[in-house]
Each structure stands twice: as structure tokens, then as C-alpha cells.
Amino acid sequence: LGVQEKGVDSLFQHTSRAGLKPTSIIRNATIEPADAETAARLELSLGAPVYRLVRTRLINDEVLANQVNFIPYEVCPGLENEDVSRYSFQRLLEERYYTIITQIQEEMRIVPGSESDLGVLGLPPGALVLIIDRLSYSCNRLPVVWASIHIRTDRYHYVSTLWSQAAPLLQEHNLIQ
């Protein structure tokens, strides 16, 4: 039957093609029981084991996002031993764990940054962040990665390249410079 062709480019691939240099700093990689929200988004039983991968996303060595990925443990056992700091996480899923992402669903909103966001992103108290909740689906239509990406809104030149659909939301909040 062969391997399913991938249907969507990873953010890393899209960023690289746009002439930008993406990197990540892995801050934490743990296995934990799925809480109610994670279980619902990934269609898992409450308490099922999931990877929680916390990282800082940089573009051209500038901090852009505070990101947390949740992945069912059964999708990629051994993930905690992988280095995804300079490599596409999605390509790792495809090449090492044979999980092909064919569809992505994103929800966006702008909210005051959490204490964690402000610290990681280097923002002042009260700063707003763009949150993108991204659910990635495999070729058999199962959710395999839930990413909550918290992005600096003052780096509009990167945001507009990577998430052009966020422009109306940023305009609505007068965040486009």
C-alpha cells in the first residue's frame, strides 16, 4: 500500500521556505496523565498517558512563541529521547513514528499573557499574546497533536508570514504596527 503522502507542511518547513530560520529550545518533555481538556481534544480517556512537550520557538534567533504540545504516548513512545530543537517535530513524527499529518484545525484568540508567557516571551505585565490552538490529524482522521502556541503580537512581521489568517484579529485589537 505504501506510505501515505503528507497533506500539510509543518510550521518548521513553512518557516524555512519563507526564508526564516526556525529553532526551538526544549524546556520540558514529560509523560503525564491527560487532563479533561487534553483528553477531549485528543479523543483519549481521561488519564491516558500523553507527552507534554514545552518549548520556546525562535525565528532568526528572536523569541516568538511559548508552545506546549500534547501527543498521545502510544503515537510516539520514546519521544522524550528525541532532539527536536533544530528539526521539524512533524517530520520526526512522519519519519520515525510513521504518523502522517494530513489536516490541521486552528483556533485563534488574543488574551493577556500568562505569567509563564510574559517570562518566556520577555513581555511586560499586561501584554497581549496571540494564542493558536492547533489540532493536527493523522491520515485516519485521529487527532495526534494538540499544540497551544502563545505568540508575541509585537513580532507582526513574523506572525503575518506564518499565520496570515491572524491579521484581522490583530487589527481588531490594534496590534498591527
Side-chain angles (χ1 to χ4, degrees), residues 25-170:
I25 298 169
I26 307 302
R27 298 195 325 268
N28 194 5
T30 58
I31 301 168
E32 60 186 46
D35 62 18
E37 184 177 15
T38 304
R41 287 188 184 260
L42 293 174
E43 299 177 13
L44 298 170
S45 301
L46 185 63
V50 294
Y51 280 105
R52 183 173 187 270
L53 180 64
V54 181
R55 56 191 174 155
T56 302
R57 304 298 301 262
L58 297 93
I59 303 293
N60 296 344
D61 297 322
E62 293 180 62
V63 173
L64 179 66
N66 181 21
Q67 180 171 339
V68 180
N69 287 8
F70 296 93
I71 310 102
Y73 177 82
E74 62 194 26
V75 169
C76 48
L79 177 65
E80 70 275 13
N81 300 314
E82 303 287 351
D83 178 14
V84 292
S85 58
R86 298 190 181 277
Y87 189 74
S88 166
F89 176 67
Q90 186 172 316
R91 283 190 64 198
L92 176 71
L93 287 178
E94 293 168 355
E95 295 171 1
R96 178 136 166 90
Y97 299 102
Y98 308 106
T99 299
I100 309 298
I101 304 299
T102 58
Q103 182 182 3
I104 292 176
Q105 176 186 0
E106 292 181 330
E107 301 168 6
M108 298 180 189
R109 64 190 182 282
I110 293 186
V111 300
S114 67
E115 193 173 309
S116 173
D117 290 334
L118 299 179
V120 170
L121 300 175
L123 294 170
L128 298 176
V129 296
L130 169 66
I131 295 182
I132 298 178
D133 284 317
R134 169 185 271 190
L135 202 49
S136 300
Y137 294 87
S138 67
C139 59
N140 57 0
R141 308 262 188 264
L142 292 175
V144 291
V145 180
W146 170 37
S148 187
I149 311 166
H150 300 213
I151 303 161
R152 289 182 64 128
T153 57
D154 62 344
R155 301 261 159 88
Y156 179 73
H157 52 291
Y158 295 140
V159 175
S160 64
T161 300
L162 302 173
W163 294 282
S164 59
Q165 66 275 30
L169 191 58
L170 293 171

Side-chain angles (χ1 to χ4, degrees), residues 9-23:
D9 284 332
S10 72
L11 185 58
F12 187 97
Q13 292 162 326
H14 176 68
T15 305
S16 295
R17 263 198 323 280
L20 305 171
K21 181 181 141 199
T23 55

